[in-house]
Amino acid sequence: AQELRDEHGIEVQTVATDLSILSNCDQLYGQLKETGVEVEYLVNNAGFGDYGPFVERDDARQQQMIALNIAALTKLTRLFLPDMIARRKGSVLNVASTAAFQPGPMMAVYFATKAYVLHFSEAIANELQGVGIGVTALCPGSTESEFAKVANAERSLIFNMRALPTSAAVARYGYRAMMRKKRVAIHGALNKMLTATVRLTPRRLVTAITRRMMAD
């Protein structure tokens, strides 16, 4: 925030809160309304993953992941959309993943949450046709960030099979897609090809290939 203030001379407000607690989403929205902040662009980027066999992972962490990746994203979108519709101006960028296109053994819950984000975003984008509001599902693949470390997946093949794009590159791509009101934005030519191939491949084979890519 300070770097943005120093480099661009803009006002930046930060609020630290745990969005996996849904009441905090309401409090955040209320706080912004009280201070007169109009949110023209909502970027739902908060989320995390967790690596390992489903039955061996901590249940509380899995539930927190669902709460953050799905419930908080849905809640925030529901809170801010009516104001955008009233102004007939604005966009929502929901960060999904290429994980949204297939089941993900070893990260079963995470992949499922991103499938929700993709389908939810596409559905409400359709509902908002003609209203002037865009909804974009950004679907990056593996990216250079702290995601793998937090998910305990640093040794997984999917994070080590090639050089990864930077978070900045993915963010720029997502921003441009949001401004064009593109509904599904898949970052990278390889990711576009892989997600297209998934649609034409038997599901059992897709799951087996994903399991191989997730191996450490």
Side-chain angles (χ1 to χ4, degrees):
Q2 191 59 50
E3 288 177 4
L4 290 171
R5 296 185 188 105
D6 294 342
E7 293 180 17
H8 303 284
I10 60 175
E11 181 182 352
V12 181
Q13 296 184 29
T14 60
V15 179
T17 188
D18 183 355
L19 294 174
S20 68
I21 302 171
L22 289 187
S23 60
N24 288 345
C25 297
D26 290 295
Q27 291 177 11
L28 174 62
Y29 174 76
Q31 183 176 343
L32 292 175
K33 293 288 282 188
E34 288 177 5
T35 56
V37 174
E38 288 188 353
V39 175
E40 187 172 340
Y41 302 106
L42 173 65
V43 180
N44 284 313
N45 181 57
F48 68 90
D50 190 41
Y51 180 83
F54 170 69
V55 296
E56 296 179 8
R57 306 313 299 161
D58 179 69
D59 179 62
R61 185 164 177 79
Q62 299 290 309
Q63 296 304 319
Q64 185 185 29
M65 189 196 311
I66 294 170
L68 183 59
N69 294 12
I70 292 179
L73 177 142
T74 306
K75 181 71 170 178
L76 289 168
T77 303
R78 180 62 182 83
L79 287 168
F80 287 100
L81 259 184
D83 295 334
M84 294 182 185
I85 293 171
R87 296 190 300 266
R88 298 188 69 83
K89 185 179 181 181
S91 291
V92 178
L93 178 67
N94 290 327
V95 180
S97 169
T98 53
F101 294 88
Q102 67 277 310
M106 304 302 285
M107 292 186 75
V109 174
Y110 174 77
F111 275 58
T113 65
K114 292 305 178 178
Y116 173 91
V117 174
L118 174 62
H119 294 168
F120 169 70
S121 301
E122 289 186 281
I124 59 175
N126 175 272
E127 293 176 3
L128 293 168
Q129 287 182 118
V131 179
I133 309 302
V135 180
T136 300
L138 173 60
C139 300
S142 302
T143 303
E144 186 181 290
S145 70
E146 294 183 357
F147 176 87
K149 181 179 180 180
V150 173
N152 194 34
E154 291 175 293
R155 293 173 56 189
S156 175
L157 178 62
I158 199 168
F159 293 103
N160 293 283
M161 59 192 301
R162 61 189 175 95
L164 302 181
T166 65
S167 298
V170 173
R172 283 192 294 269
Y173 173 81
Y175 171 77
R176 290 193 294 266
M178 178 182 68
M179 298 305 291
R180 297 197 307 270
K181 293 182 170 56
K182 188 172 183 178
R183 292 191 180 183
V184 179
I186 302 170
H187 179 262
L190 178 60
N191 289 327
K192 289 184 175 70
M193 182 188 71
L194 291 174
T195 54
T197 302
V198 163
R199 297 186 175 101
L200 305 174
T201 306
R203 298 291 286 174
R204 186 164 182 169
L205 179 57
V206 168
T207 308
I209 293 172
T210 305
R211 173 62 187 270
R212 182 69 178 270
M213 293 176 66
M214 296 301 296
D216 59 17

